Amino acid sequence: MRVLLDELNTPIVLAPMAGGPSTPELAAAVSDAGGLGFLGAGYLGAEDLGGRIKQTRTLTSAAFGVNLFYPSAPSPVTSFGDYVDQLAREFPVGEPRFDTDAWAAKLELLIADPVRVVSSTFGCPSPEEIARLHAVGTEVWVTVTSVAEARIAAEAGADALIAQGGEAGGHRGSFADRPEDDTADPLGLLALLQLLTAAVDLPVIATGGITTGAALAAVLTAGAAAAQIGTAFLRCPEAGTAPLIRDAITLDTPTMLTRAFTGRRARGLRNQFMLDHQQAPAAYPEIHYATGPLRAAARAAGNADEVNLWAGQAHSLAPELPAGELVRQLSRDAKEALNRAVSIRIQGY
């Protein structure tokens, strides 16, 4: 089955990066350079998303996609109340609350005003929801972190899988965020790619720790149809990345997984807040809303120790380039890496 990936001039998909970095300008620049730009719809209302879609269309005639957060179930107050009370003794905190991130309203918007691709994170749309998107000509891609999730997505009718390795920055796209699963290491991208391509007959887009053309070449060689790249674009002028994060990702700071800021496991640059709250409970989006004021205060003060600095493991390699130029550089470097690999093989055998 032919999918949009087959039409791209270069196998590069922009990671959505909701919460600031995602902008119409960034999505349009990546699409115009031959990749596939994406808008991150997480944390936006449907009206705001509609405006960003409209703006992106004024900037490019090329295809682009929209990413939605699949809603989770509410968490009982008993699971996070003590943590929020603890934070309130030291930081400004907001009211922890549950919402569905306007899933239903955004879905209706995207059916009334379709884009070429809708991807989901944190879960898989129902077969009925996928069928509605298919009916208006929209492909559905689902973010997965395991073979079990991939099979659920395939059975629901997904057109492609976004394989998120443990190296990826930002939130884990897992369907469920269970602390009891933390004793198992998240699958690295190359291992996950091998498992998915052996188990499910769908195109796979690889994401996690891909910051160079050589890494792009590696995942293509391992069976990916394209790479979804996020952290490498954080320093592009078109990105809405906060100055604090632009500066921080240039350093060789290790990353770690944490629930401290949002109540859902996510990878960011290690800082004191993460180290001090390693036992933060699983309660998303309740904790996300509770820590909103403390994160905003930290950003305003330029305090990198009390703000979420989401980034993948290869963050220090992110260049400061216009997005279109970065797409072209990654493509050139990937071709050179593939040619070197072929040359080495020929010489060796």
Side-chain angles (χ1 to χ4, degrees), residues 32 34 66 69 72 74 122 135 140 147 153 188 193 204 217 242 257-258 284 330:
D32 278 345
V66 170
F69 287 173
S72 57
F122 305 155
V140 178
V147 170
L193 272 175
V204 177
L257 291 167
T258 183
Y284 178 89
L330 289 168

Side-chain angles (χ1 to χ4, degrees), residues 158-181:
D159 299 284
L161 305 173
I162 300 169
Q164 186 194 46
E167 306 93 330
H171 283 106
R172 300 286 295 147
S174 309
F175 292 7
D177 183 51
R178 295 181 291 253
E180 59 267 28
D181 294 337

Side-chain angles (χ1 to χ4, degrees), residues 10 41 56 68 89 91 100 119 132 156 164 172 178 231 246 294 297 312 329:
T10 188
T56 306
L68 301 179
R89 289 193 285 270
F91 304 100
T100 62
S119 69
R132 293 186 68 198
Q164 186 194 46
R172 300 286 295 147
R178 295 181 291 253
T231 299
R246 286 182 185 271
L294 77 85
Q329 177 179 300

Side-chain angles (χ1 to χ4, degrees), residues 25-81:
E25 292 80 6
L26 183 60
V30 171
S31 290
D32 278 345
L36 181 66
F38 253 89
L39 293 174
Y43 313 122
L44 302 179
E47 184 176 351
D48 194 353
L49 173 59
R52 295 190 185 206
I53 290 172
K54 182 178 180 180
Q55 184 180 354
T56 306
R57 287 187 175 128
T58 68
L59 297 171
T60 183
S61 59
F64 62 92
V66 170
N67 173 260
L68 301 179
F69 287 173
Y70 192 79
S72 57
S75 300
V77 175
T78 52
S79 70
F80 61 82

Side-chain angles (χ1 to χ4, degrees), residues 65-155:
V66 170
N67 173 260
L68 301 179
F69 287 173
Y70 192 79
S72 57
S75 300
V77 175
T78 52
S79 70
F80 61 82
D82 288 347
Y83 179 66
V84 175
D85 289 344
Q86 174 194 347
L87 294 180
R89 289 193 285 270
E90 186 176 355
F91 304 100
V93 299
E95 183 66 28
R97 61 185 175 86
F98 173 80
D99 66 23
T100 62
D101 201 49
W103 167 269
K106 292 175 190 175
L107 187 63
E108 293 303 324
L109 167 70
L110 291 165
I111 288 168
D113 187 15
V115 295
R116 289 292 302 277
V117 180
V118 168
S119 69
S120 69
T121 301
F122 305 155
C124 180
S126 68
E128 293 76 19
E129 290 167 330
I130 291 176
R132 293 186 68 198
L133 289 164
H134 284 170
V136 295
T138 298
E139 291 181 19
V140 178
W141 300 358
V142 178
T143 305
V144 300
T145 61
S146 69
V147 170
E149 291 174 350
R151 287 179 172 145
I152 291 170
E155 290 173 5

Side-chain angles (χ1 to χ4, degrees), residues 210-238:
I210 304 169
T211 313
T212 64
L216 170 58
V219 297
L220 295 176
T221 302
Q228 180 175 275
I229 301 174
T231 299
F233 287 94
L234 284 175
R235 299 180 69 210
C236 294
E238 300 92 340

